[in-house]
Amino acid sequence: MATLILVRHGRSTANTAGLLAGWTPGVALDERGAEQAAALPARLASVPLAAAVTSPLQRCRETLAPLLAARPELELHTDDRIGECHYGDWSNRKLSELSDEPLMKIVQQHPSAAAFPGGESMRAMQARAVDAVREWNARIEEEHGSDAVFLMCSHGDIIKSLVADALGMHLDLFQRIHVDPCSVTAVRYTPTRPFLLRLGDTGDFGSLAPRPDRAPEADTTAADTETFESATEDGGNAVVGGGAGAG
């Protein structure tokens, strides 16, 4: 099956303001996020892309704009299922204030039981994102072959939940995963199991290009990962919504 490149959007104005943006309209990339997006075409230059799929939210579309300008032939699709978690009444609130909410302990330690007031549950968030990936994998393979590579631009919690699914991890463990703004995570799907090739990577991605002599089932190399000092805050709690990350 296809290889999926997951790009988290660049750093946004909500990230730097410490807000849980959710689906709040008008959340754009900040200056650093725009720089990150501008660097994306060069980082992915050696990787052939069959298609790009984006969350409908502005910060994701802005992140992909330089890549689409550099590759005018690249077809862009929008899929609401990889949009940010619907945080409901928590949307656009300060993370520092939300840390005192009793629900935050559930979000951190038992996310499969967490449902945001006026929003959705974290289980529902993961389920819709996984469904989207499964459907896009099948479509890309049918149209472009099993060695095809495609890209999705999404959000921190969505990407973390997809990584947990690929690793066979329970959702209750997904807060142990961290992805920085504009980082790249890559998952190669095969008929029997996925392989995590990159996690939160901000380096060179030329090795993600398909190799004609590669046997997919034999490729069991684990992803190269970085140690993120900024991965957690507040005594080890993961930042809901992904946080600003490094830089």
Side-chain angles (χ1 to χ4, degrees):
M1 298 181 73
T3 296
L4 169 62
I5 294 179
L6 290 160
V7 177
R8 185 184 169 196
H9 63 78
R11 198 175 71 177
S12 72
T13 54
N15 292 147
T16 49
L19 296 172
L20 186 63
W23 285 68
T24 303
V27 177
L29 299 183
D30 67 6
E31 183 177 353
R32 173 60 178 153
E35 292 173 355
Q36 293 169 332
L40 192 60
R43 291 167 59 199
L44 295 174
S46 58
V47 183
L49 295 173
V53 186
T54 185
S55 155
L57 297 176
Q58 178 179 340
R59 51 197 183 274
C60 287
R61 303 186 74 90
E62 289 181 354
T63 298
L64 288 190
L67 180 65
L68 295 170
R71 302 195 193 193
E73 76 288 352
L74 185 60
E75 190 174 2
L76 179 66
H77 307 270
T78 300
D79 194 324
D80 287 1
R81 294 174 297 177
I82 62 168
E84 182 61 284
C85 184
H86 291 277
Y87 296 117
D89 297 344
W90 279 27
S91 298
N92 211 35
R93 290 182 59 189
K94 284 276 189 181
L95 286 162
S96 57
E97 298 172 359
L98 293 170
S99 64
D100 295 328
E101 295 279 353
L103 177 60
M104 183 60 82
K105 185 175 182 180
I106 308 301
V107 170
Q108 293 293 330
Q109 299 182 22
H110 191 19
S112 65
F116 295 98
E120 70 180 332
S121 69
M122 302 198 89
R123 287 183 296 106
M125 173 200 74
Q126 183 188 43
R128 62 174 165 86
V130 169
D131 283 347
V133 166
R134 295 287 190 266
E135 290 179 21
W136 278 104
N137 274 340
R139 175 174 174 177
I140 294 297
E141 182 174 9
E142 180 180 358
E143 295 179 359
H144 301 279
S146 60
D147 274 340
V149 182
F150 72 107
L151 178 149
M152 283 185 166
C153 186
S154 189
H155 307 265
D157 281 349
I158 295 289
I159 294 172
K160 287 162 55 179
S161 72
L162 289 170
V163 170
D165 173 74
L167 292 175
M169 291 171 53
H170 197 282
L171 183 62
D172 285 344
L173 302 178
F174 101 122
Q175 297 289 27
R176 301 182 183 192
I177 300 167
H178 176 75
V179 290
D180 272 330
C182 221
S183 64
V184 167
T185 294
V187 182
R188 178 172 290 132
Y189 290 87
T190 78
T192 56
R193 55 183 171 176
F195 295 97
L196 181 64
L197 305 181
R198 296 288 190 277
L199 176 60
D201 200 325
T202 56
D204 174 55
F205 308 111
S207 63
L208 295 181
R211 300 191 304 273
D213 58 343
R214 173 181 50 78
E217 273 296 318
D219 190 349
T220 58
T221 304
D224 295 326
T225 61
E226 291 184 38
T227 299
F228 298 102
E229 292 182 358
S230 61
T232 58
E233 296 180 359
D234 299 327
N237 284 338
V239 182
V240 182

